[in-house]
Amino acid sequence: MRVLLGVAGAVVVLRLFSSVLRSLVVPRPTRSGFGRFCQRLVHRPFQLVADRLPSAEAKDRVLAPMGAVAVVVTLIGWLASFMVGYALLEAAVSRLGVREALIESGSSLFTLGFASGNRVTLNAIDFLAAVTGPIVIGLQVGYLPALYGAYQRREAEVTLLQARAGSPPWGPEILARYAQVGLLDSLTELFRNWERWSAEVSESHTTYPILIHFRSPKAHRNWLIALLSVMDAAALRLAFSPSQPQAEVRMALRAGFVCLRDLAEIEGVPYDRDPHPDDALRLTYEDFLRGVERMREQGYPMERTPEEAWPQFRGWRINYEALAYRLARDIEAVPAPWSGARRRPVATRAPRTPVDRRPAR
């Protein structure tokens, strides 16, 4: 019996060390099963409440703290599980009962020091537990600045996009507003910035997957919808303006759907790695025409008719539409145009911008 307790305790402690290292130390996409379990444990009750709310704003208020709560629950889960693992080891090398072993391991793990054994083997486990507690807490404290630094860099570009595309953003609205103010030549800079943004998000959100579920500060903003709108704007630019420079536009598109694929892999979302350009889109041709009409209203120059541009646009969008829709559904992103359905029916929000109040002359 003592051997079984010792083996069980060693397995628990070693697997927990592996989870901590993979989540907080190893700088590459390595999702631990323990972290995924804690996230799902936290996500389920938040999502159950959100599913029963009628508006996107109410859902956002409920889901906003979910990511932070998951981080705290994971830390507590690590410490509690370490306490159980060390208690099993201490019970295996001594005559301590379950209660006494838990008290012994807890006293050592949290460096309280109110309980101590007099066996050399027991003291060795106590020393190891005493080292484990501060290490895990210290790693978590060091992990938070990196986590929130990545979050702030992500949100800065999303906030900048609000003035350019409204809120929530929409691909046709980006091109319409750039045409409205005569800044079409600046689109190259926009796509170049979002190519870099996609690469940074791909790196940070696969290293720290909980960031996928960290919501923007405002209910009408969302990082995934922002990326989708920029990719749609790039696809529309390629479809309607073949004579314009295309290198930055194509690279932004590719960086965008590579980012989505990386996130899908870390989230365990299946996807078609080689979609055919002629595959059907979920976006209807009628919705496409409504977006084109918005661009035309603001004077966007079109070198092709909508009928000629539709196959080109569809060929680009097929690379990322299904993934973007699935992730938007999973994280309950703001229901923007061209972003698919959500878990429960909710009204689509059109892009809006605060009114610019000018002083009277």
Side-chain angles (χ1 to χ4, degrees):
M1 185 64 181
R2 294 181 185 278
V3 173
L4 292 177
L5 289 176
V7 170
V11 169
V12 170
V13 170
L14 290 175
R15 288 183 67 88
L16 287 170
F17 270 119
S18 173
S19 175
V20 171
L21 290 174
R22 294 170 67 185
S23 299
L24 305 182
V25 180
V26 179
R28 64 183 304 176
T30 52
R31 186 71 176 269
S32 76
F34 187 86
R36 186 186 295 271
F37 169 77
C38 290
Q39 182 179 317
R40 289 178 177 174
L41 186 68
V42 172
H43 180 266
R44 188 174 296 275
F46 278 91
Q47 191 64 63
L48 286 174
V49 175
D51 285 344
R52 285 158 175 76
L53 298 175
S55 68
E57 290 79 5
K59 292 177 185 290
D60 182 80
R61 284 195 298 272
V62 169
L63 293 172
M66 193 273 291
V69 172
V71 172
V72 175
V73 168
T74 301
L75 172 60
I76 295 173
W78 276 329
L79 294 174
S81 300
F82 268 121
M83 188 171 72
V84 172
Y86 284 122
L88 292 173
L89 287 173
E90 291 182 342
V93 300
S94 69
R95 296 184 178 276
L96 294 177
V98 174
R99 180 174 178 275
E100 291 78 9
L102 285 172
I103 292 174
E104 182 85 18
S105 66
S107 171
S108 301
L109 184 68
F110 298 106
T111 63
L112 300 175
F114 64 81
S116 61
N118 57 5
R119 295 177 178 82
V120 173
T121 52
L122 196 59
N123 287 339
I125 296 173
D126 285 340
F127 291 150
L128 185 58
V131 170
T132 300
I135 286 177
V136 172
I137 295 173
L139 287 175
Q140 189 81 346
V141 170
Y143 160 81
L144 291 178
L147 188 75
Y148 282 97
Y151 171 79
Q152 291 170 350
R153 289 192 298 273
R154 183 191 81 182
E155 292 301 318
E157 200 69 34
V158 174
T159 303
L160 285 173
L161 190 65
Q162 180 176 354
R164 304 164 187 257
S167 186
W170 182 34
E173 191 73 16
I174 295 176
L175 299 184
R177 295 193 183 196
Y178 268 76
Q180 182 183 27
V181 296
L183 289 177
L184 289 175
D185 291 339
S186 300
L187 279 170
T188 298
E189 180 183 359
L190 173 74
F191 293 130
R192 187 182 297 118
N193 290 341
W194 276 83
E195 178 192 355
R196 180 173 295 277
W197 182 93
S198 298
E200 291 179 352
V201 167
S202 177
E203 186 276 331
S204 61
H205 287 48
T206 53
T207 303
Y208 309 122
I210 191 60
L211 280 171
I212 296 173
H213 300 274
F214 269 53
R215 306 182 73 81
S216 295
K218 301 289 186 180
H220 52 266
R221 291 206 301 260
N222 181 268
W223 64 272
L224 179 60
I225 299 303
L227 174 59
L228 177 60
S229 69
V230 171
M231 295 173 73
D232 280 338
L236 288 167
R237 180 73 167 170
L238 293 172
F240 280 100
S241 307
S243 68
Q244 299 300 314
Q246 296 191 356
E248 287 81 2
V249 188
R250 287 173 176 266
M251 293 307 297
L253 258 177
R254 178 157 185 81
F257 68 71
V258 167
C259 173
L260 291 178
R261 291 183 177 190
D262 288 343
L263 299 182
E265 289 176 0
I266 205 71
E267 287 288 286
V269 175
Y271 63 91
D272 185 357
R273 295 178 179 274
D274 189 23
H276 195 276
D278 293 330
D279 289 346
L281 290 181
R282 299 184 194 179
L283 179 73
T284 65
Y285 183 63
E286 290 71 23
D287 285 335
F288 171 75
L289 290 179
R290 280 190 281 271
V292 172
E293 183 59 29
R294 173 60 182 158
M295 294 160 56
R296 181 180 288 114
E297 288 173 357
Q298 301 303 322
Y300 183 83
M302 300 181 185
E303 301 172 19
R304 289 174 173 150
T305 65
E307 293 79 7
E308 294 170 337
W310 170 248
Q312 306 295 324
F313 175 77
R314 183 181 62 192
W316 285 110
R317 200 174 207 257
I318 199 66
N319 289 289
Y320 59 86
E321 182 190 71
L323 273 179
Y325 281 16
R326 170 63 187 272
L327 290 172
R329 176 185 179 276
D330 288 350
I331 67 174
E332 285 288 351
V334 57
W338 292 18
S339 66
R342 300 296 180 265
R343 292 170 57 88
R344 297 290 188 274
V346 62
T348 301
R349 293 194 55 167
R352 295 183 301 175
T353 335
V355 177
D356 184 10
R357 300 293 185 186
R358 298 183 181 181
R361 294 183 178 179

